[in-house]
Amino acid sequence: MNTQEMYERMKARLEKVVPDVELRIKAELAAQIVDLKKEKNAVILGHNYMEPALFYSIPDFTGDSLDLSRKAAQTDRDVIIFCGVRFMAETAKILNPSKTVLLPSEKAGCSLAASITAADVRALKARFPGVPVVSYVNTYADVKAESDICCTSSNAAAVVESLHADTVIFLPDEYLARNVARETGKHIVFPSLTPHPSPTGGGAQLDYQLIGWHGRCEVHEKFTLADIEAVRAQFPDVVILSHPECSPEVVAASDFSGSTNAMIRYVQQTKAPHFLVLTECAMGDNIAAANPEKDMLRLCMVRCPHMNTITLEDTLNALKLNRYVIEIPEDIRRRARSAVERMIAIG
Ligand code: 13P
Ligand code: SF4
């Protein structure tokens, strides 16, 4: 694609969000990526947290984790470039193993995925035999392989309810688990893995339905009630949206909570003088670019250091150098696939 054409296309969308001097440089990179993408028969998937110049130029599809995993499963292209983080690229490989899946940055991890190992899940299953395990997609393939079913932020409560079980192990996000417990009316406990007579350690009659883990999203855990109060004091008519990886206090004080796609839809469908989206700041820019009539406030003091490692430069290099290839041992992939597919069947 010609750089000028790409520049015009990006400018039409991003004029008010990205300064022209940056737009010109990024348009040149984006044009090269689009050409190489065609040559290599690749599809580019872009998570909602990608910076605006990437989000609105090179992806074939954009969306939340659930959406993009469906797209990854359906593609017939030879190569999938995942502009997101490692667990997302792994999910693409789990679902579509004959494709080459590339993650443009080796550093794109996730604090939630790093918070739990397959051995931790095995220890929980040994402690609570027969209790089904729900794992958030923000986990690595070996943890998914130990799980009965996965969930994302857009279907977590539906997945838990679909099990019709008295007790469910829900891993690894403490806040998402607490938010799901509230939404489904279930009691939740957080057992330690050292032996106790009961998960609460007291030997009392058990009274719990969700068993959680102390994983946290290093981004969403930083938003506080005080932040919300300060913003509401300054902008009394602001509509505040939060991701369910935020604390239950923050979610309760928000006007809406949902997955990244659900928050985007909510802003598009709601009339209000100001919006504040409590999630990775780039998503506020992306919503502002697509909805110039909406006034988006942002709290950009909190950023996802993992999503932010994915740049246009890295994506170009991923295509040129065929890096970084996602590989998953076949036995782990097969077991993980059943947990992910069970989730996708629920929607
Ligand atoms: P979504 O599934 O809502 O896109 O969220 C992914 C994520 O990593 C949020 O921090
Ligand atoms: Fe992981 Fe949080 Fe970053 Fe999402 S925002 S990728 S949950 S660290």
Side-chain angles (χ1 to χ4, degrees):
M1 180 186 241
N2 163 320
T3 300
Q4 186 61 26
E5 267 170 35
M6 177 58 90
Y7 166 74
E8 298 293 344
R9 208 173 86 187
M10 289 167 75
K11 189 176 171 198
R13 180 67 93 183
L14 299 171
E15 199 168 25
K16 299 236 162 52
V17 178
V18 183
D20 201 60
V21 58
E22 182 167 313
L23 214 49
R24 287 191 180 275
I25 294 167
K26 295 201 166 164
E28 195 177 333
L29 285 166
Q32 289 180 54
I33 292 169
V34 168
D35 284 348
L36 209 48
K37 173 173 75 165
K38 212 180 259 167
E39 199 182 307
K40 304 246 167 157
N41 194 27
V43 64
I44 298 185
L45 307 179
H47 187 262
N48 290 327
Y49 289 165
M50 292 297 104
E51 59 142 334
L54 187 158
F55 189 79
Y56 285 112
S57 59
I58 57 166
D60 297 274
F61 301 101
T62 54
D64 66 8
S65 332
L66 182 61
D67 233 15
L68 295 181
S69 60
R70 286 203 196 98
K71 295 293 188 284
Q74 289 158 3
T75 190
D76 58 3
R77 305 266 177 95
D78 296 326
V79 179
I80 300 172
I81 312 273
F82 216 118
C83 291
V85 289
R86 173 168 287 273
F87 74 81
M88 297 179 180
E90 280 195 0
T91 306
K93 186 70 180 178
I94 288 167
L95 290 167
N96 211 339
S98 65
K99 309 299 176 192
T100 299
V101 178
L102 302 178
L103 180 67
S105 163
E106 266 185 316
K107 296 191 196 115
C110 170
S111 67
L112 280 171
S115 74
I116 191 158
T117 65
D120 293 328
V121 186
R122 285 193 291 271
L124 278 165
K125 290 200 291 190
R127 178 110 188 262
F128 302 101
V131 176
V133 177
V134 176
S135 282
Y136 195 27
V137 280
N138 298 36
T139 48
Y140 292 121
D142 54 349
V143 166
K144 290 184 172 76
E146 296 294 339
S147 310
D148 294 283
I149 185 165
C150 288
C151 74
T152 71
S153 55
S154 65
N155 58 18
V159 165
V160 166
E161 281 173 343
S162 77
L163 294 170
H164 302 292
D166 292 338
T167 310
V168 171
I169 297 173
F170 188 100
L171 309 169
D173 187 352
E174 172 185 340
Y175 285 162
L176 180 65
R178 288 190 188 280
N179 288 319
V180 167
R182 207 182 52 155
E183 193 177 334
T184 55
K186 293 186 188 308
H187 294 186
I188 184 164
V189 290
F190 292 86
S192 78
L193 283 176
T194 48
H196 283 301
S198 85
T200 50
Q205 191 62 28
L206 301 187
D207 180 17
Y208 59 90
Q209 297 140 321
L210 272 192
I211 295 164
W213 186 257
H214 285 298
R216 297 267 185 93
C217 162
E218 68 188 274
V219 179
H220 293 95
E221 73 169 348
K222 295 204 179 83
F223 295 116
T224 64
L225 210 47
D227 294 333
I228 293 187
E229 283 162 6
V231 174
R232 286 204 195 280
Q234 190 179 354
F235 302 93
D237 43 13
V238 66
V239 166
I240 298 184
L241 298 88
S242 59
H243 195 276
E245 290 165 9
C246 292
S247 73
E249 296 72 33
V250 164
V251 167
S254 306
D255 300 291
F256 177 79
S257 177
S259 75
T260 53
N261 267 13
M263 291 194 282
I264 293 169
R265 269 196 308 273
Y266 188 92
V267 174
Q268 281 165 346
Q269 292 164 2
T270 307
K271 270 202 162 64
H274 315 282
F275 294 91
L276 172 67
V277 184
L278 295 177
T279 197
E280 159 56 37
C281 178
M283 203 175 95
D285 292 336
N286 291 335
I287 300 176
N291 305 272
E293 75 290 0
K294 311 263 179 192
D295 180 35
M296 301 300 300
L297 308 173
R298 280 79 125 197
L299 287 185
C300 291
M301 63 220 188
V302 180
R303 304 299 308 258
C304 175
H306 309 287
M307 289 283 184
N308 276 294
T309 62
I310 306 290
T311 62
L312 285 165
E313 285 88 342
D314 288 335
T315 309
L316 182 59
N317 283 331
L319 274 162
K320 279 186 182 163
L321 307 170
N322 202 46
R323 74 182 191 194
Y324 296 92
V325 179
I326 300 290
E327 305 278 11
I328 301 171
E330 184 55 18
D331 60 319
I332 290 180
R333 190 198 66 78
R334 242 184 296 109
R335 287 188 291 135
R337 180 183 190 133
S338 101
V340 177
E341 283 183 339
R342 281 186 74 189
M343 166 189 82
I344 290 181
I346 287 173

